[in-house]
Structures are given as structure tokens and as C-alpha cells.
Amino acid sequence: MPLMQWDETMSVGLDELDEQHMELIALINEAFEAIQRSDESRLMELVDHMREYAEVHFETEESVMRSCGFPELDAHREMHGQFAEKAEDFRRTMRSRTNLTEIFIFLSRWLTNHIMVEDRKLLPYLPPRNDEGA
Ligand SMILES: [Fe+2]
């Protein structure tokens, strides 16, 4: 069973951001599987990819928030920084091989909560979608 699963309740109302969230979730799931198989080289690759992808995603999301006049942008940027720090922690911890599973469970819970509670605060600020109300 995957560690995380995206569903409609996690939609932030913008396909580009939803797709990036799905990709991040897929990377976390794949990395979690690599931990369970003790496949360290694959894990290393996936963690690097996840960190890079998260950085690109956070930039996209922050620029959407900026263009919508989202009032909590500064606080939101700080939260993104926390994820980046935890992912960096993970990279350091990988060498000592302790708590890998716990860190991944932390990252998955953080991301689920972040998307559902924090990212979704953007919804009221987005322009109406073309496919709605037709
Ligand atoms: Fe976010």
C-alpha cells in the first residue's frame, strides 16, 4: 500500500499545482518503497529528485500565490522552507541509516496536511475556472 494517496479532497483548484502535488506524492511513495527494499542507491536518487522537484514546485506555487494576491504568502514560504530542511535532514540521516522510516512518515504527513490545510487556503483567491458554472 502506498504511503500517501492523492484524491480530489486535496485539489487546490489549479491543475498545474495538483499535478505537481501528485508527482511529489509519487516520489515520496517510491522512496518509501526503496527504504523497505533497502535499495540505497535508488533511495539516494529519489531523495535528490524529490528535493529538486519540491523546490521547483514551491517556486511555482509561491508565484501563483503572489499573482493571486494571497495574503499569507510569507508564512506559507516559511512552511515550504521547513519541508526543504526536513528533506535535507533526511539526506544527512541517510548516511547513518537511522530513523529513515520515521522521517518519511513525517514528510508524508507534513505534505498531506500542508496541501489539505495550507495550500487549499489559496482556493478563494483563484480566478473562477472556465469549466465551472457552464
Ligand atoms: Fe504549499
Side-chain angles (χ1 to χ4, degrees):
M1 202 178 128
L3 186 61
M4 293 184 73
Q5 231 155 353
W6 190 92
D7 65 46
E8 282 297 324
T9 63
M10 292 170 94
S11 174
V12 299
L14 208 63
D15 290 344
E16 186 185 16
L17 296 181
D18 285 346
E19 279 158 21
Q20 290 182 346
H21 285 152
M22 287 177 217
E23 178 65 21
L24 265 181
I25 289 169
L27 286 169
I28 287 181
N29 284 333
E30 256 195 89
F32 190 64
E33 282 165 25
I35 291 173
Q36 289 170 320
R37 292 196 310 269
S38 303
D39 185 345
E40 284 176 37
S41 56
R42 182 76 184 127
L43 178 60
M44 190 74 90
E45 270 172 32
L46 285 163
V47 169
D48 282 341
H49 188 173
M50 183 191 77
R51 289 165 69 231
E52 283 160 21
Y53 195 83
E55 210 172 296
V56 170
H57 162 62
F58 291 154
E59 273 171 27
T60 309
E61 195 176 87
E62 287 163 17
S63 92
V64 170
M65 289 177 165
R66 197 172 298 113
S67 67
C68 297
F70 181 63
E72 294 177 44
L73 178 61
D74 288 344
H76 201 98
R77 284 174 62 104
E78 274 181 41
M79 292 177 213
H80 286 166
Q82 287 164 13
F83 181 90
E85 268 172 43
K86 201 69 191 176
E88 184 56 41
D89 260 12
F90 179 78
R91 211 177 185 291
R92 277 195 295 267
T93 314
M94 248 178 349
R95 293 173 198 280
S96 62
R97 301 183 195 184
T98 53
N99 300 323
L100 294 183
T101 305
E102 281 106 293
I103 293 178
F104 254 76
I105 290 171
F106 173 91
L107 284 177
S108 68
R109 288 198 182 134
W110 185 96
L111 190 61
T112 304
N113 179 67
H114 179 79
I115 294 171
M116 294 185 83
V117 179
E118 302 301 334
D119 290 344
R120 281 174 60 89
K121 286 182 183 168
L122 176 65
L123 276 164
Y125 298 91
L126 289 173
R129 291 172 81 126
N130 294 333
D131 55 70
E132 269 173 25

